[in-house]
Amino acid sequence: EAQVTQNPRYLITVTGKKLTVTCSQNMNHEYMSWYRQDPGLGLRQIYYSMNVEVTDKGDVPEGYKVSRKEKRNFPLILESPSPNQTSLYFCASSPNQRHTEAFFGQGTRLTVV
Amino acid sequence: GDSVTQMEGPVTLSEEAFLTINCTYTATGYPSLFWYVQYPGEGLQLLLKATKADDKGSNKGFEATYRKETTSFHLEKGSVQVSDSAVYFCASQAGTALIFGKGTTLSVSS
């Protein structure tokens, strides 16, 4: 089954404690990206990757890092989380940047206290 | 910059009612347009898409037509069901990103 898998689904952490949210896709897609969803704001792109070792900032990259060492994995790293990073995070993948067949993970609800 | 505006919710309908959720976009050029649906506790699923002017996307009884002259992509369904209750997002493709509207919550009662 074609899917994008994120882990964990839920996470509560404290300010400043480094964390990683994993994302994996099994469709051999080149393009992957991370979004955050906040009430009244919709989804906003954090980072994206066009292919292995190629990553770039989206609209709201501050406080986040990513890496793309393998085609299937695209982890999101918060080196020093802060309460304003409390949000619902989605990983997405698609065959190319035109998003005509974009697949989203089930989301990770992160709370930073 | 590019943006997507969709009608505020929530939208509350009775089963079998007609649904319209308005969506307009601003963009340089002619982006691909999408409607995504998010059921409670789940990720976004692509509902339908249109890649050029006058294209009509359709799926599960939902339809939307890409109107270049009005820069719109309104979502319609002739007869909604309780199972259609969800949050609906209009989106446009802008370069390397999808630009999303803020989402419209639809609640259908029997």
Side-chain angles (χ1 to χ4, degrees):
Chain A
E1 179 189 353
Q3 59 185 4
V4 177
T5 303
Q6 294 178 229
N7 279 296
R9 293 287 311 276
Y10 302 92
L11 178 60
I12 301 174
T13 190
V14 296
T15 299
K17 185 176 181 182
K18 180 180 179 180
L19 66 92
T20 299
V21 183
T22 64
C23 174
S24 180
Q25 50 96 0
N26 63 359
M27 295 164 281
N28 202 36
H29 285 168
E30 291 187 349
Y31 181 94
M32 297 184 74
S33 60
W34 278 101
Y35 292 83
R36 59 178 288 173
Q37 182 182 11
D38 300 292
L41 294 177
L43 281 84
R44 294 174 292 167
Q45 191 184 56
I46 303 169
Y47 267 95
Y48 66 93
S49 170
M50 305 265 278
N51 214 324
V52 175
E53 302 292 1
V54 181
T55 63
D56 210 343
K57 297 176 181 179
D59 292 327
V60 288
E62 293 77 22
Y64 305 94
K65 285 176 55 177
V66 293
S67 69
R68 188 93 181 272
K69 294 184 170 58
E70 308 166 277
K71 199 171 191 178
R72 64 183 292 124
N73 295 324
F74 190 46
L76 179 69
I77 303 156
L78 285 72
E79 295 269 4
S80 182
S82 62
N84 65 11
Q85 293 178 296
T86 292
S87 187
L88 180 58
Y89 292 87
F90 288 101
C91 180
S93 76
S94 56
N96 53 60
Q97 69 181 60
R98 291 198 61 79
H99 306 289
T100 48
E101 297 293 342
F103 290 79
F104 282 78
Q106 290 191 293
T108 296
R109 184 165 294 281
L110 171 66
T111 302
V112 184
V113 299
Chain B
D2 294 14
S3 66
V4 172
T5 303
Q6 60 182 104
M7 62 188 287
E8 299 278 334
V11 174
T12 303
L13 296 172
S14 298
E15 209 164 23
E16 299 183 3
F18 184 86
L19 168 71
T20 300
I21 301 177
N22 291 336
C23 171
T24 57
Y25 67 92
T26 60
T28 52
Y30 303 105
S32 295
L33 300 173
F34 309 88
W35 277 99
Y36 281 85
V37 59
Q38 184 180 29
Y39 298 104
E42 298 186 12
L44 280 74
Q45 301 174 25
L46 179 63
L47 181 59
L48 54 84
K49 66 186 180 189
T51 57
K52 62 183 187 297
D54 299 325
D55 268 3
K56 177 186 280 189
S58 62
N59 186 26
K60 298 181 181 179
F62 291 89
E63 292 183 340
T65 301
Y66 191 143
R67 302 282 188 203
K68 184 178 66 173
E69 60 279 3
T70 54
T71 62
S72 65
F73 193 55
H74 305 322
L75 181 68
E76 296 181 337
K77 187 175 186 182
S79 176
V80 294
Q81 305 300 312
V82 172
S83 57
D84 293 327
S85 297
V87 182
Y88 292 81
F89 291 93
C90 185
S92 71
Q93 181 243 336
T96 55
L98 286 168
I99 305 297
F100 286 89
K102 294 181 180 180
T104 301
T105 299
L106 171 65
S107 179
V108 181
S109 57
S110 58

